[in-house]
Amino acid sequence: MLSTTFHTGAGYWNPLVWLGVFLLLLVLAYLFWFRGESGYRREGEQTKPFLSGNRAPARGEMHLRASHLYWGFTEAIRGYYERVVPAHTGVLNDYLLWFLGVMSFILVIMVVIR
Amino acid sequence: MSWELLRLHAPALLIAVPLVASFAMPILGRTKLSRGIIALGAMALTSCIAIFLSYTVYTSGVLLYVFGAESPALSIPPDSGGIPIRIIFTIDALSAFMTLIVAIVGFSVFLYSMSSDQRHTGLEGYYTLFLMMIAGILGMVNTGDLFNFFVFLEISSLAGAGLVAFRIEKGKAVEGALKFAVLSTMGALLLLFAVGIFYWQYDALNIAAIASRMQFSLLDQIALVMLVAALAMKCGSVPLHFWTPDAYSMAPSSVTAMLVVSSQASLYGLFRVIFTLYGIKLDWVTVGWIVIALGMLSMFVGVTMAIPQKDVKRLMAYHAISQTGYMLLGVGVGIAVLGDPASLQSYGMAAIDGGLFHIFNHAMYKGLLFLTAGAIIYVTGTRDMNAMGGLGHRMKYTMIFFMIGALAIAGIPPFNGFASKLVIYESVYRFSPVLAIIAMLVSILTLASFVKVFHSVFMGPELPEYDTGREVPLPMLLGMGLLAGIVIVIGIFPAPFIDHLVAPAAQALVNQAGYISAVAGGG
């Protein structure tokens, strides 16, 4: 019998207990859903978005694209991105310079300063 | 008798089977059927040998294979002055652990590529290089000879560069391959220079022989710097990672999944050099903190660079860099307390366990994620996430596999990524709480990044341009399904996996004396 209790050194972790709780929550969610509105239909007017009487945009226009997500996050740390992104120049010479620079830095720490 | 022969020559067969298949491919692999039989058959056979070999090592201890000698007892010929002059494969639990990774991911990606790459021409060249890369990686993780390690590193790097350039893509893939090839060659030359330094000082190329004579002289320290820089660059550690997104994003997805394993073989090389070649003789605190610093930079820069990406494979490439940081962090903590037996026993070994466990887990879920990216590109024909949406309606299996991989990489229970990250968090916390907190923060950002991919690619209404799209062919689903199954099983049963596979590998890594005596004593 495979043991599912995993001792980490500072504590323990049992995925089966976690899965049990997860399944219990799924059952509870199902029960809530089961007691919901029985007249709901997947088709028809009630599933369409209501935009104050305006026509819904085309399917492609309704989708939130990748560029729309996390704009706030990148904007909040713009100073960081303004320094880090330009370092990725895509130029092979720069990559080689980084490599030699980092190796020199490690050499100074490991051999000279130590 | 045949089993005994197989057991005896399994290390040589492990390299010979993919190499012979690789050389046979241009001649015999002219039709789709023959190509499929040779490629998948060779990979399946290699995986079986790898699993058999790993089982033998885990049950019987270190395995020596001395090329050109009748038995492992002749590892040091009587007239060689005590120096092992032949090429020796020294396969301990760590090598067996890495071999298992290559076997599992290799078979999955070969299965996957039976469909994913069939629309292209030049496939006999593709599989020739692919099998050569497999042989190179297997050689890297099993050889006990430093010069031989350089040779296998070159084989895997050059084959990898050829594979990155396979689709050309208006020159972009060729450019990515050129960067990969030049930087890999630069790293390999430094490695060769370090090997020359050792040979000049100790008259030996064998890792165990050099380790037993190691003086940690100024030249040894310079060699260590070159080895650390070269192998850290090859495993994609920040700030030496620049080639990674360029090469990973342009390679066919099955190749990218294997490039991840190739990078991990370099990570193995880094750990092997630090623990086995230098061991306790090096300045473990300084080296440990350098590895930790590389790990922290990789984690943070990797994940923050991933978030604004719009190319699905470039985003995943940055996450591969970020996850490498966890491995460097875990093992780096182990290095930093290597000379302090109390701390090593208290949390250092657990940190090394966590780092090695994460190598295995990362190979599985990152391989899976790159294969799902390949499935998405196979259907949509683009890597641009801005052009995608609603694919979950028609690619339900791919979406489920993606969710499994994404939750695993973000460290969400009960998937395998959670188990290894938990060990890393707890052990690193006892070393430095700040490092552990940053590692957790990076996991949160990883989850955020994959929520973005999930929403922009799979959620939303079905887009008109993909109305005719459908799920990918069965071999691709099987390749992804195999890796997804392993992600789940290890997530639910981490304890036996750690006890029987990871902990012995970690013990083998820190047991320098055991490695040296195995070679000196002939296995």
Side-chain angles (χ1 to χ4, degrees):
Chain A
M1 182 66 185
L2 287 174
S3 166
T4 54
T5 303
F6 168 39
H7 296 276
T8 59
Y12 69 91
W13 157 249
N14 192 323
L16 284 190
V17 174
W18 191 92
L19 275 177
V21 173
F22 186 74
L23 283 176
L24 184 71
L25 290 174
L26 271 183
V27 171
L28 280 175
Y30 175 78
L31 288 175
F32 278 118
W33 176 83
F34 188 72
R35 290 173 57 83
E37 175 57 56
S38 57
Y40 175 81
R41 293 194 310 276
R42 281 181 178 273
E43 305 296 330
E45 282 297 314
Q46 63 178 344
T47 61
K48 289 185 179 169
F50 178 71
L51 301 172
S52 304
N54 297 313
R55 279 182 61 187
R59 276 188 288 167
E61 291 168 27
M62 280 195 288
H63 181 49
L64 273 175
R65 307 275 177 167
S67 294
H68 302 141
L69 299 166
Y70 299 136
W71 173 85
F73 176 82
T74 50
E75 193 62 20
I77 54 169
R78 194 171 56 181
Y80 166 78
Y81 279 114
E82 279 174 353
R83 285 166 181 81
V84 174
V85 174
H88 297 74
T89 56
V91 180
L92 184 55
N93 294 6
D94 294 347
Y95 293 3
L96 286 167
L97 279 175
W98 269 100
F99 178 51
L100 294 174
V102 171
M103 191 173 72
S104 308
F105 184 70
I106 296 174
L107 182 80
V108 169
I109 291 180
M110 268 169 55
V111 180
V112 181
I113 296 178
R114 185 181 70 88
Chain B
M1 182 61 188
S2 55
W3 275 110
E4 185 55 26
L5 263 180
L6 177 64
R7 195 191 72 78
L8 211 59
H9 296 291
L13 287 172
L14 191 67
I15 309 299
V17 170
L19 265 189
V20 169
S22 165
F23 294 137
M25 186 62 77
I27 304 160
L28 303 175
R30 297 288 177 157
T31 66
K32 186 181 175 186
L33 182 67
S34 65
R35 208 164 41 230
I37 290 171
I38 295 170
L40 196 58
M43 191 61 233
L45 186 58
T46 307
S47 296
C48 289
I49 296 168
I51 291 166
F52 173 74
L53 188 66
S54 301
Y55 174 78
T56 308
V57 171
Y58 272 107
T59 51
S60 312
V62 181
L63 191 70
L64 279 196
Y65 190 82
V66 186
F67 285 86
E70 281 180 356
S71 88
L74 292 169
S75 58
I76 302 176
D79 55 350
S80 71
I83 294 170
I85 52 170
R86 293 189 175 100
I87 293 173
I88 301 174
F89 272 18
T90 312
I91 309 168
D92 62 0
L94 180 64
S95 296
F97 181 73
M98 295 302 297
T99 301
L100 268 182
I101 294 175
V102 183
I104 297 168
V105 180
F107 183 70
S108 301
V109 299
F110 266 68
L111 193 58
Y112 178 94
S113 75
M114 288 296 120
S115 283
S116 67
D117 296 303
Q118 296 307 319
R119 296 188 286 202
H120 300 275
T121 55
L123 284 172
E124 59 271 24
Y126 173 82
Y127 283 114
T128 299
L129 290 171
F130 218 149
L131 286 160
M132 211 174 273
M133 185 163 79
I134 297 281
I137 299 169
L138 284 169
M140 281 171 73
V141 299
N142 283 303
T143 187
D145 184 292
L146 213 49
F147 181 77
N148 204 223
F149 181 86
F150 157 77
V151 173
F152 283 121
L153 178 77
E154 277 292 82
I155 291 173
S156 89
S157 298
L158 293 177
L163 287 166
V164 171
F166 178 66
R167 282 183 184 161
I168 303 172
E169 298 215 20
K170 295 174 186 165
K172 285 183 193 166
V174 179
E175 187 187 330
L178 178 74
K179 290 171 186 170
F180 177 58
V182 171
L183 282 166
S184 294
T185 306
M186 185 80 177
L189 279 174
L190 281 169
L191 198 144
L192 184 63
F193 201 76
V195 173
I197 288 175
F198 293 133
Y199 191 63
W200 182 64
Q201 288 192 101
Y202 305 118
D203 297 328
L205 296 169
N206 185 278
I207 294 173
I210 299 169
S212 66
R213 292 165 169 76
M214 177 62 68
Q215 301 294 317
F216 204 52
S217 62
L218 180 65
L219 279 176
D220 291 329
Q221 291 171 40
I222 292 169
L224 177 63
V225 170
M226 288 193 278
L227 289 168
V228 168
L231 293 167
M233 185 270 289
K234 279 292 294 169
C235 74
S237 162
V238 173
L240 307 164
H241 65 291
F242 296 100
W243 63 272
T244 316
D246 295 345
Y248 280 18
S249 59
M250 296 318 299
S253 292
S254 47
V255 172
T256 315
M258 212 60 222
L259 282 176
V260 171
V261 180
S262 170
S263 295
Q264 290 184 327
S266 297
L267 196 61
Y268 157 88
L270 179 65
F271 296 157
R272 185 60 94 191
V273 162
I274 292 172
F275 282 94
T276 308
L277 194 64
Y278 284 86
I280 202 75
K281 289 204 178 93
L282 53 69
D283 177 0
W284 61 83
V285 178
T286 308
V287 175
W289 271 104
I290 286 173
V291 173
I292 291 169
L294 290 173
M296 296 307 290
L297 276 173
S298 303
M299 278 195 294
F300 192 76
V301 174
V303 79
T304 49
M305 280 300 293
I307 286 175
Q309 298 301 320
K310 293 156 193 79
D311 178 324
V312 64
K313 285 191 70 183
R314 226 176 148 76
L315 180 143
M316 288 187 184
Y318 277 112
H319 279 295
I321 294 166
S322 176
Q323 296 302 305
T324 302
Y326 283 92
M327 302 158 209
L328 288 167
L329 173 63
V331 180
V333 167
I335 298 168
V337 297
L338 193 59
D340 176 2
S343 300
L344 186 67
Q345 213 51 46
S346 171
Y347 58 81
M349 282 310 296
I352 296 171
D353 281 353
L356 295 184
F357 192 17
H358 206 62
I359 289 181
F360 188 95
N361 291 340
H362 177 247
M364 301 304 137
Y365 61 63
K366 182 52 80 177
L368 172 62
L369 284 169
F370 274 122
L371 295 189
T372 57
I376 294 162
I377 297 163
Y378 183 89
V379 170
T380 61
T382 177
R383 294 193 310 273
D384 183 4
M385 287 188 290
N386 278 327
M388 298 177 192
L391 292 174
H393 295 281
R394 290 178 184 269
M395 299 177 72
K396 290 190 171 58
Y397 293 113
T398 302
M399 182 176 72
I400 290 167
F401 292 142
F402 174 85
M403 283 171 70
I404 291 169
L407 292 171
I409 197 174
I412 301 296
F415 300 101
N416 65 350
F418 171 77
S420 48
K421 283 187 177 180
L422 181 65
V423 182
I424 292 172
Y425 296 153
E426 286 193 358
S427 51
V428 172
Y429 186 85
R430 297 175 73 187
F431 178 74
S432 164
V434 175
L435 298 181
I437 290 165
I438 294 172
M440 288 181 217
L441 178 71
V442 169
S443 273
I444 295 167
L445 293 177
T446 305
L447 180 64
S449 177
F450 275 94
V451 166
K452 166 182 159 175
V453 182
F454 181 67
H455 177 84
S456 56
V457 174
F458 293 107
M459 293 288 100
E462 279 186 272
L463 299 184
E465 52 267 45
Y466 306 125
D467 273 349
T468 55
R470 50 192 293 202
E471 189 55 273
V472 291
L474 185 63
M476 291 173 74
L477 291 176
L478 287 176
M480 291 187 278
L482 180 61
L483 293 177
I486 292 170
V487 167
I488 293 170
V489 169
I490 293 176
I492 295 175
F493 301 105
F497 190 80
I498 283 237
D499 293 343
H500 299 296
L501 291 176
V502 180
Q507 286 294 339
L509 184 61
V510 297
N511 185 10
Q512 188 198 31
Y515 189 92
I516 294 170
S517 65
V519 176

